Amino acid sequence: MAGPAGRLDAVLVCGGRWHDFDHARLRLLELLGEHPRVRTTVYQDYDCVAALDRADLLVTYTCDVRPRPVQRAALARFVERGGRWLALHGTNSVIEPSTDGGPRVFTTPRLLGELAQVLGSQFLAHPPIEPYEVRVTRPDHPLVAGIGPFTVTDELYVCELHGELEVLLHTEYTGPCRGFAEGDTAARDSAPRPVLYLKRHGLGEVCYFTLGHCRGRYDVQDLGVDDTGRVDVGPWETPEFLTVLRRCVQRVVDTPERAGA
């Protein structure tokens, strides 16, 4: 898959709603920049079908970015042919705020199509942002080896799961997720909530990491808040998150033969 002299072409998609994408984009580019043979092209959405068809690896950090059918097909094709996709935080989200003038309720329509199966999950809801414990599901796996349970301040994702997942990190939550249409029912089951997992698709692999929330002062103006008055970097100052994220980037940079270990 690599080009001349071992060059790897990466696509980074970073954009959407209600997050500090400037912060996330910079941090992810720094991590990709630790690998000299990786050359990265940056997009804010999935209008990058031609680049995907040439890419060796894909990194996405989005929220409510909805790929069109031709883009969904390109993403699925990328993984099927052996591509490595590191999907972060809200990549699996489709979120619509209510517009009827009553209390704000977010719905999560199933508009990802076949991409939900490729990704292995679709976002449904999260409780209020507050610290919670992340536990290690597979301590023998190289992505999380040597990592103990850690506390992180982030959005705890309650998701609809698809297909066979190799869960490496998880958390527990069975309480309500107020403000989401499915928030009171989605979190009732007592199954662990995947935080980091691997999902095979064709010859390739998705590495999904639900952590990564960050928000600046001006990132929810479309919800009527001109200035939140604070900068929220979420887990981006949590050592365990940064260690695992760096390993995840290394995994998608590795050739398929090495990454399949």
Side-chain angles (χ1 to χ4, degrees):
M1 292 176 63
R7 166 179 167 152
L8 295 174
D9 289 313
V11 168
L12 170 62
V13 180
C14 187
R17 309 173 79 180
W18 311 316
H19 292 78
D20 186 349
F21 296 102
D22 289 342
H23 180 89
R25 186 182 302 112
L26 176 61
R27 301 294 294 272
L28 290 170
L29 284 171
E30 287 174 343
L31 290 171
L32 288 165
E34 294 177 1
H35 303 277
R37 67 193 186 116
V38 173
R39 314 313 297 164
T40 303
T41 306
V42 181
Y43 299 85
Q44 295 188 68
D45 56 31
Y46 294 107
D47 190 15
C48 55
V49 169
L52 279 173
D53 286 341
R54 299 189 302 269
D56 300 295
L57 56 130
L58 170 66
V59 180
T60 57
Y61 181 105
T62 66
C63 179
D64 194 38
V65 175
R66 310 176 187 189
R68 299 190 301 274
V70 66
Q71 296 167 349
R72 296 200 300 264
L75 288 161
R77 185 168 64 245
F78 165 80
V79 184
E80 285 170 357
R81 66 172 171 80
R84 299 274 159 174
W85 182 357
L86 172 56
L88 295 164
H89 202 44
T91 295
N92 66 352
S93 68
V94 176
I95 308 172
E96 294 183 353
S98 56
T99 58
D100 58 7
R104 183 181 292 126
V105 176
F106 294 92
T107 58
T108 51
R110 309 307 196 268
L111 299 178
L112 290 177
E114 70 275 22
L115 205 57
Q117 291 287 338
V118 177
L119 285 170
S121 65
Q122 180 160 352
F123 171 82
L124 297 181
H126 67 73
I129 299 173
E130 59 184 10
Y132 63 91
E133 185 181 61
V134 175
R135 302 174 184 174
V136 181
T137 318
R138 285 278 312 276
D140 59 323
H141 195 280
L143 285 181
V144 294
I147 301 293
F150 62 96
T151 299
V152 68
T153 301
D154 206 320
E155 294 170 334
L156 190 160
Y157 271 20
V158 174
C159 296
E160 181 179 79
L161 305 181
H162 297 275
E164 184 176 346
L165 311 180
E166 183 181 3
V167 179
L168 308 180
L169 296 174
H170 71 278
T171 191
E172 307 279 349
Y173 185 75
T174 56
C177 299
R178 294 184 177 89
F180 289 90
E182 299 181 59
D184 288 335
T185 57
R188 283 181 181 172
D189 68 273
S190 59
R193 311 284 171 198
V195 172
L196 174 67
Y197 65 79
L198 303 174
K199 169 74 161 54
R200 299 291 302 180
H201 182 74
L203 299 176
E205 178 185 85
V206 172
C207 177
Y208 204 111
F209 205 178
T210 66
L211 300 181
H213 177 76
C214 56
R215 181 176 293 148
R217 291 171 52 185
Y218 312 113
D219 294 326
V220 290
Q221 291 185 344
D222 65 326
L223 297 179
V225 181
D226 290 342
D227 184 350
T228 65
R230 60 181 300 229
V231 173
D232 180 5
V233 296
W236 293 92
E237 293 181 345
T238 302
E240 293 88 349
F241 166 71
L242 295 174
T243 295
V244 175
L245 179 58
R246 178 170 277 105
R247 293 176 183 178
C248 291
V249 171
Q250 177 68 63
R251 185 176 180 89
V252 296
V253 169
D254 282 343
T255 62
E257 292 77 15
R258 291 172 59 199

